[in-house]
Amino acid sequence: MYRTVGFGTRSRNLKPWMIAVLIVLSLTVVAVTIGLLVHFLVFDQKKEYYHGSFKILDPQINNNFGQSNTYQLKDLRETTENLVDEIFIDSAWKKNYIKNQVVRLTPEEDGVKVDVIMVFQFPSTEQRAVREKKIQSILNQKIRNLRALPINASSVQVNAMSSSTGELTVQASCGKRVVPLNVNR
Amino acid sequence: IASGVIAPKAAWPWQASLQYDNIHQCGATLISNTWLVTAAHCFQKYKNPHQWTVSFGTKINPPLMKRNVRRFIIHEKYRSAAREYDIAVVQVSSRVTFSDDIRRICLPEASASFQPNLTVYITGFGALYYGGESQNDLREARVKIISDDVCKQPQVYGNDIKPGMFCAGYMEGIYDACRGDSGGPLVTRDLKDTWYLIGIVSWGDNCGQKDKPGVYTQVTYYRNWIASKTGI
């Protein structure tokens, strides 16, 4: 009879506690894998900042009585932020769109130049240049059909910003805060 | 602030505490990374800018950030007795770093108008009642703009209300600014939650008394003066 090294004849049935440990380990591995997938696909979306600029031609803001009168920069800011919200909430990117913030209104001869920061969230780090073009085309396309504000569509420019520059620009703009208002009384 | 509540963290990121020898004297409002707006009467007693400091955050101690004062500019026409032209701008010696907790507020244009009964907010580290002590925690209260017609009534403030001043609060009293809130902000927001500075805590009879609302310096009235001194 060969004395080759082989498996002993003693039975190697797993003990119950070993089976339990193996089940727990495999469940843990599955849970961690799912967790990582969810994290990277859903939560680890990066905020991306895009600087947009365009010109509003001699804007007339309708006041409460429907008469148009010379605009207030304050009202123009509000109207513009509403407008950009509507454009992206009504676009294919509504799930990625977070907010926009007008950071500067510069009165010029034939109107007002608007500088706005648009904030999106995307899972992957697809080419920023591609997104830049896409945002520009969404703005261009929607702005043409707008009546709320006479915007010179050919003046629309969009540039990707680094996250740090975007964040700092948002923080440096006036009148915005991170806390919702909840003055209880 | 009389009858206010403690402000949540980062709720009023433009609020500052103006201190002399590290003791809170007045509120102030951040309008850029080096300039603040406050009340001229804050500088009646202490004229040396080098003993003034500015701190930021919802607590005076510990502050989130502290800056020395380089200079302050009081409105040329301010005369303490009359209370008119009660506005000053303060320049800090080094730039403020903006963050989620420290931000500047927007200034309305000179032509902007804000209607009576508009909801506005006042914040400050001042006393909770007349004769009380300043507080370490920032407080806030919601009040309303009161029309000049009401405020100029004899039993209210009559002819003491001059151009460039306006009243806010409630005729029943209760919610009001108080001693130590002077120089601090009265603010409102637009529909997109952009906040604007429209008043500076200036004076009032007592705190939270019936028929004696707070009187505020009207920022739109002095908007061009602010621009001429700060470039903002």
Side-chain angles (χ1 to χ4, degrees), chain B residues 44-110:
Chain B
Q44 271 185 120
K45 257 167 76 176
Y46 305 121
K47 313 274 184 201
N48 177 1
H50 303 303
Q51 285 178 265
W52 284 93
T53 52
V54 178
S55 78
F56 300 91
T58 46
K59 288 182 179 298
I60 290 182
N61 276 310
L64 262 187
M65 186 185 289
K66 200 149 188 168
R67 287 287 185 275
N68 293 325
V69 167
R70 167 176 297 170
R71 59 174 169 153
F72 52 78
I73 304 170
I74 295 172
H75 197 290
E76 304 77 18
K77 295 182 180 175
Y78 174 68
R79 299 290 176 272
S80 56
R83 298 177 177 146
E84 284 177 275
Y85 305 99
D86 190 13
I87 187 169
V89 286
V90 177
Q91 187 178 33
V92 292
S93 52
S94 58
R95 290 183 177 192
V96 164
T97 311
F98 294 127
S99 67
D100 284 354
D101 299 284
I102 301 174
R103 294 203 171 174
R104 65 190 175 105
I105 197 163
C106 297
L107 292 172
E109 296 134 284

Side-chain angles (χ1 to χ4, degrees), chain A residues 71-75 77-79 81-82 85 99-101 103 167-168 170-185, chain B residues 5 8-14 98-100 103-106 109 111-112 114 121 140-142 170 175 189-196:
Chain A
Y71 61 86
Q72 290 277 338
L73 288 181
K74 171 176 169 302
D75 302 335
R77 174 199 295 269
E78 186 179 321
T79 307
E81 287 184 352
N82 265 329
D85 273 350
K99 66 176 178 178
N100 81 88
Q101 205 160 301
V103 292
E167 184 70 29
L168 285 174
V170 164
Q171 285 178 347
S173 70
C174 76
K176 295 289 191 182
R177 52 185 214 168
V178 292
V179 174
L181 180 68
N182 64 351
V183 179
N184 50 356
R185 286 289 277 296
Chain B
V5 291
K9 181 177 178 300
W12 312 102
W14 37 76
F98 294 127
S99 67
D100 284 354
R103 294 203 171 174
R104 65 190 175 105
I105 197 163
C106 297
E109 296 134 284
S111 56
F114 300 93
Y121 299 84
E140 63 188 45
R142 182 174 60 188
Y170 292 93
Y175 304 99
R189 59 177 173 156
D190 72 7
L191 297 177
K192 295 302 290 174
D193 270 342
T194 301
W195 291 83
Y196 289 85

Side-chain angles (χ1 to χ4, degrees), chain B residues 20 26 30 57 74 80 88 138 157 161 164 169:
Chain B
Y20 189 80
C26 276
L30 193 62
I74 295 172
S80 56
L138 181 63
Y157 289 126
I161 301 299

